[in-house]
Amino acid sequence: MFKGIKPIVYAGREVWPLIEGGKGVAVSNHMSSGAWAAAGGIGTVSAVNADSYDPEGKIVPQVYHALTRRARHEELVQYAIDGAVAQVRRAHEMAGGRGAININVLWEMGGAQRVLHGVLEQTRGMIAGVTCGAGMPYKLSEIAASFDVAYLPIISSGRAFRALWKRAYSKASEHLGAVVYEDPWRAGGHNGLSNAEDPLVPQDPFPRVKALRDTMREGGIADSVPIVMAGGVWNLKEWNDWIDNPELGAIAFQFGTRPLLTQESPIPEDWKAALMVLEEGDILLHKFSPTGFYSSAVRNPFLRHLEARSERQIAFSGEAAGDHQYQLDVGVKGKSFWVTRGDLLRAREWDMLGFTSALKTPDNTLVFVRPDEMKDIRKDQADCMGCLSQCSFSSWADTEGNSTGRLADPRSFCIQKTLQDIAHGGPIDQNLMFAGHSAFRFRKDPFYSNGFVPTTRQLVDRILTGD
């Protein structure tokens, strides 16, 4: 047992201060979360469009039949509720009364509040708490309190927590289970990097977490309410100075990347194999996500393709003005677009290489793509099922008008489509593959030598030794 690590009381029971990071779509499911809880930790079911099952136990494909976005959005919300309920019930059974089960939602996912209500209503007594990030979830505390479960907001700064506390959380302080500090430079998936922070210059997490604890103390929150360090956590020995540190108060740790590579992890085998050969620098912090947030994923051909698409981009004017004195004669089929001489020459070169279709972006630029690529982009935008509260790729918004009012952005992608595909056996090189920036350590850590894939219990036991 690593020195200083001792159980905490959560949801009325003693658990290890080790939390499984929630990963959707369909990655943190009942198998992974149930096993994590059975090992004495806090398992996390992702309630972001989780899988549901037919009477024979087979996964129900999430196929959309409705003709309109709004109607497909209603189908999506029902899929989300049914899936999360199924996963929680199975995880609760697997845990066997040990550990605890949380659910994780993204506040900016489509129908987030409805999904939370629907899941919590049908799983009373099974869920200990709700972790929630990707936005400013002001109503999280109210919803959690109404079902008598804990809430664990995911934030990336003390400033964000102060706003949430003053506006809403102070009114339901007794249900605050913990505050998750997710390092925006090191965590996998979507991150809370602000416009004032440089994505290329990671900051030391200690001062930021210390500032968060100071903010919590200002609000009268006891030091016994843990701060959960998430992002970049591989083992406990590297965080020895954080444990039992009076400057920080109670600390717990979230593991998101390491649970990907266990026997219970539901991700396909080729995804697991890919994790074991990653090198440092193979994870890219990017802003292609249609959520508008930064996110971190493996820099595979899927992401490289998006990078290349954005590089084939030029600014335009609707009339001759300034340096834009040259009428574009490729990619736009006679429409009036005025560009600089240098961009005209670049566009002609792209056209000769087969990138013959120009698509407008919301920023008065054009990106050049192949005709088949344009067809795929347009189809994905038309097939939108409203999986986000606002989507830059399709211009969907979960509002009365169902539109952001902005032009759909061809530099992004349909995130629901790609995450569903990779989770259910789609090609890993042609889909978004989320991972934290420590994923290269699978290759170097002797625990995984000779291709060893542990059970979740073996992983938790290993973590408890400090390694």
Side-chain angles (χ1 to χ4, degrees), residues 39-290:
I42 302 174
T44 305
V45 169
S46 171
V48 182
N49 291 100
D51 288 331
S52 54
Y53 304 94
D54 65 17
E56 297 179 355
K58 296 179 181 178
I59 293 174
V60 176
Q62 295 189 15
V63 179
Y64 297 87
H65 303 283
L67 300 179
T68 67
R69 287 182 173 187
R70 170 51 64 181
R72 289 194 294 272
H73 173 74
E74 294 303 316
E75 290 180 286
L76 176 133
V77 169
Q78 194 58 56
Y79 276 135
I81 294 172
D82 292 346
V85 169
Q87 296 298 332
V88 168
R89 288 174 175 169
R90 291 181 176 215
H92 181 260
E93 183 177 350
M94 276 189 65
R98 297 177 294 276
I101 297 293
N102 283 351
I103 60 171
N104 173 252
V105 297
L106 305 180
W107 195 247
E108 295 300 331
M109 74 183 193
Q113 295 183 53
R114 294 170 59 195
V115 172
L116 264 179
H117 278 281
V119 175
L120 292 171
E121 180 63 43
Q122 297 181 56
T123 56
R124 291 179 183 271
M126 301 180 192
I127 293 172
V130 181
T131 59
C132 182
M136 293 292 281
Y138 290 109
K139 293 188 178 181
L140 174 64
S141 56
E142 177 187 335
I143 296 171
S146 69
F147 288 95
D148 196 26
V149 299
Y151 63 98
L152 300 83
I154 302 172
I155 51 86
S156 295
S157 69
R159 181 181 178 183
F161 181 76
R162 179 181 286 111
L164 290 166
W165 180 257
K166 287 185 175 181
R167 180 168 170 178
Y169 293 179
S170 60
K171 301 171 186 176
S173 58
E174 68 278 8
H175 284 89
L176 179 64
V179 180
V180 181
Y181 170 78
E182 186 174 72
D183 190 297
W185 291 276
R186 298 170 178 86
H190 290 104
N191 298 317
L193 201 67
S194 74
N195 292 330
E197 293 163 333
D198 189 336
L200 300 178
V201 184
Q203 295 182 18
D204 181 357
F206 188 94
R208 294 170 68 93
V209 173
K210 171 63 166 60
L212 171 59
R213 176 60 75 184
D214 290 342
T215 300
M216 293 170 65
R217 287 167 176 159
E218 290 171 10
I221 301 170
D223 278 11
S224 58
V225 176
I227 293 175
V228 181
M229 178 61 207
V233 180
W234 187 261
N235 58 41
L236 295 180
K237 66 184 180 183
E238 294 172 349
W239 302 86
N240 182 50
D241 293 343
W242 290 49
I243 300 169
D244 286 335
N245 187 325
E247 289 189 271
L248 300 180
I251 290 288
F253 296 93
Q254 179 169 296
F255 294 82
T257 296
R258 290 189 76 173
L260 287 170
L261 195 56
T262 64
Q263 293 183 26
E264 292 87 353
S265 169
I267 66 173
E269 290 304 314
D270 55 351
W271 188 346
K272 293 182 181 180
L275 290 172
M276 301 188 81
V277 296
L278 291 174
E279 297 183 355
E280 191 167 6
D282 281 350
I283 307 301
L284 178 68
L285 178 60
H286 65 90
K287 208 174 183 183
F288 294 116
S289 171

Side-chain angles (χ1 to χ4, degrees), residues 23-27 48-49 62 64 76 106 108-110 134 188-191 271 286-297 302-303 306 309 376-377 379-381 383-396 409-424 430-435:
K23 298 172 290 295
V25 168
V27 172
V48 182
N49 291 100
Q62 295 189 15
Y64 297 87
L76 176 133
L106 305 180
E108 295 300 331
M109 74 183 193
H190 290 104
N191 298 317
W271 188 346
H286 65 90
K287 208 174 183 183
F288 294 116
S289 171
T291 62
F293 296 114
Y294 279 93
S295 64
S296 292
F302 177 85
L303 273 187
L306 289 171
R309 184 190 300 173
D376 290 342
I377 290 170
K379 184 178 189 307
D380 287 347
Q381 290 171 333
D383 289 346
C384 173
M385 71 295 289
C387 73
L388 301 173
S389 63
Q390 293 190 63
C391 175
S392 65
F393 177 66
S394 68
S395 77
W396 155 271
D409 196 337
R411 296 168 296 188
S412 188
F413 56 94
C414 177
I415 196 165
Q416 181 74 202
K417 174 185 174 182
T418 187
L419 293 182
Q420 288 282 359
D421 194 37
I422 193 171
H424 297 101
Q430 297 174 34
N431 283 296
L432 183 68
M433 183 163 49
F434 279 141

